Amino acid sequence: MDIIALKASATDKDIRHVVKRLESMGFKANISKGTERTVIGVIGDTSKITEEEGNAFEAMPCVEKVLRIIQPFKLASRNFKPEATVIKVGKHAIGGKKIQVIAGPCAVENREILLKTAKEVKAAGAAFIRGGAFKPRTSPYAFQGLGEEGLAHLAYVREKTGMPVVTEIMDPRDIDVILKYTDIIQIGARNMQNFRLLQEVGSYDKPVLLKRGLSATIKELLMAAEYIMSRGNHKVILCERGIRTFETETRNTLDLSAVPVLKGLSHLPVVVDPSHGVGKWRLVAPMAKAAVAAGADGLIIEVHVRPDEALSDGEQSLKPEKFKALMTELKAVAKAVGREI
Ligand code: PEP
Ligand code: MN
């Protein structure tokens, strides 16, 4: 039910006008006359009211405010599906009691380093290997990733370790090659509102890790998820990875309040990326622990065997031994909030 609050000056004629308009759209009106003002409750499936139609009510001179109770995102919303979504990937489940950890280098650099890193993070408790083959670099002169060769390295590592692969797609034209090699498709922050790309990944039955845009609101993130889901793919994992603020000490500001907010608004699993959230390896562990305490269903963490030689994001990458120590610390935090890791 949506609510239309009328101005104190609204007359009976105004009320009748609003009610008539609602009835002409197939809704019933519940009129509540207070001492100060009248509030009209809209009864019926108000999710069918478009944003434009809602705005048209707000534009009426007698209307103070229109409150949409049903969110503009529907398939992603908890109103629509109250129980939490658990996404199965191989023998792993994302969104259940177990907190899943995705770890690996920012970019796939070569097969040996990737395999070594995968073995280390797996031994420490990570279930998934991450690594970009198509990298969204700020500079066109920076390392852009190995492309399909990088994807083949990921597939090789999956075969050797059994770890499912998470890798980023940047262009709908790469969908076939990405589908061939990956278990979870990552949509990066810079592409969160690349609607054609969202529609493309929405057309396949492959889980999608959707990262929050650099300056995207939580609602925009959920609308991006809605783009994917509206095409039929409901296997969407939301990812908080830090947003742009005025703060410069950290690369981004990791918005951990987004975790409980998202969990309240949506049934989809929420993963936190503390690496891009802070941009400095020393800050990754405390924020990873805070993310688990805040209710995250998973973590995605950059790990590199030689961060000083990394071709991208070395400054925020953990060495395997630091990652291992973090995984041990996370166990206690997970237990404290009724989860396991
Ligand atoms: C990444 O995961 O390496 C990455 C590029 O992340 P983001 O899109 O969040 O910047
Ligand atoms: Mn990175």
Side-chain angles (χ1 to χ4, degrees):
M1 187 169 97
D2 288 9
I3 287 167
I4 301 171
L6 301 186
K7 287 185 180 147
S9 57
T11 62
D12 283 349
K13 197 175 159 208
D14 289 331
I15 297 171
R16 278 200 301 278
H17 180 62
V18 175
V19 170
K20 250 199 166 149
R21 176 91 161 249
L22 286 170
E23 285 173 350
S24 74
M25 292 166 72
F27 298 106
K28 285 201 173 118
N30 180 315
I31 301 163
S32 160
K33 275 192 177 170
T35 45
E36 296 268 318
R37 65 183 70 242
T38 299
V39 171
I40 300 175
V42 186
I43 302 165
D45 183 4
T46 53
S47 64
K48 290 202 182 81
I49 301 179
T50 63
E51 206 165 330
E52 287 72 26
E53 285 169 335
N55 289 345
F57 276 100
E58 196 141 290
M60 290 180 173
C62 64
V63 172
E64 174 85 44
K65 201 164 177 49
V66 175
L67 266 168
R68 300 299 302 264
I69 303 297
I70 301 284
Q71 305 284 1
F73 45 90
K74 186 170 181 194
L75 300 172
S77 97
R78 262 217 202 258
N79 296 333
F80 182 73
K81 180 176 179 284
E83 70 281 5
T85 287
V86 179
I87 297 173
K88 292 251 169 69
V89 186
K91 60 181 167 67
H92 307 286
I94 303 178
K97 186 172 181 191
K98 188 170 163 66
I99 293 162
Q100 296 293 355
V101 180
I102 305 163
C106 178
V108 176
E109 297 175 6
N110 69 56
R111 210 161 87 162
E112 288 64 44
I113 292 186
L114 188 68
L115 182 61
K116 193 169 185 311
T117 312
K119 283 180 175 166
E120 299 257 21
V121 297
K122 186 182 176 188
F128 298 81
I129 180 76
R130 64 147 289 152
F134 297 100
K135 293 302 302 175
R137 303 306 298 279
T138 302
S139 165
Y141 308 117
F143 177 57
Q144 302 286 307
L146 295 178
E148 186 165 2
E149 186 195 339
L151 296 176
H153 294 335
L154 285 163
Y156 171 82
V157 166
R158 173 178 51 196
E159 200 185 300
K160 291 279 172 203
T161 62
M163 299 175 89
V165 165
V166 182
T167 200
E168 178 166 354
I169 187 168
M170 293 216 302
D171 188 325
R173 288 170 293 189
D174 296 327
I175 189 72
D176 290 334
V177 73
I178 289 276
L179 285 170
K180 192 168 141 197
Y181 295 103
T182 193
D183 299 284
I184 299 180
I185 306 174
Q186 178 173 324
I187 299 275
R190 289 154 193 82
N191 273 314
M192 189 205 81
Q193 285 188 317
N194 182 339
F195 300 116
R196 291 292 295 273
L197 186 61
L198 299 176
Q199 287 172 336
E200 187 65 33
V201 299
S203 309
Y204 300 89
D205 183 38
K206 188 71 100 171
V208 177
L209 179 81
L210 176 64
K211 296 187 106 182
R212 181 176 179 182
L214 280 75
S215 302
T217 64
I218 289 172
K219 209 162 260 170
E220 285 164 343
L221 171 61
L222 288 167
M223 290 310 288
E226 194 76 13
Y227 257 91
I228 299 170
M229 299 172 86
S230 66
R231 283 289 168 122
N233 185 355
H234 289 199
K235 296 178 182 168
V236 179
I237 302 151
L238 305 169
C239 179
E240 164 59 40
R241 49 75 73 202
I243 49 174
R244 282 261 163 95
T245 68
F246 50 80
E247 184 53 67
T248 54
E249 281 301 313
T250 44
R251 179 177 179 179
N252 291 292
T253 295
L254 187 63
D255 178 13
L256 283 183
S257 59
V259 178
V261 171
L262 284 169
K263 300 289 295 179
L265 291 174
S266 176
H267 52 86
L268 296 171
V270 179
V271 161
V272 170
D273 174 349
S275 309
H276 293 87
V278 295
K280 293 178 178 174
W281 72 265
R282 280 181 196 282
L283 305 177
V284 171
M287 296 316 282
K289 287 183 262 184
V292 168
D297 297 301
L299 294 167
I300 175 165
I301 299 178
E302 287 185 340
V303 178
H304 199 286
V305 283
R306 278 194 218 97
D308 52 330
E309 289 174 18
L311 295 179
S312 69
D313 286 350
E315 64 284 7
Q316 67 191 35
S317 298
L318 293 181
K319 285 185 180 164
E321 62 264 29
K322 289 273 189 296
F323 176 75
K324 191 173 164 208
L326 168 61
M327 288 297 282
T328 306
E329 290 178 5
L330 285 172
K331 280 192 173 48
V333 184
K335 194 165 171 226
V337 292
R339 308 286 291 264
E340 53 189 58
I341 194 160

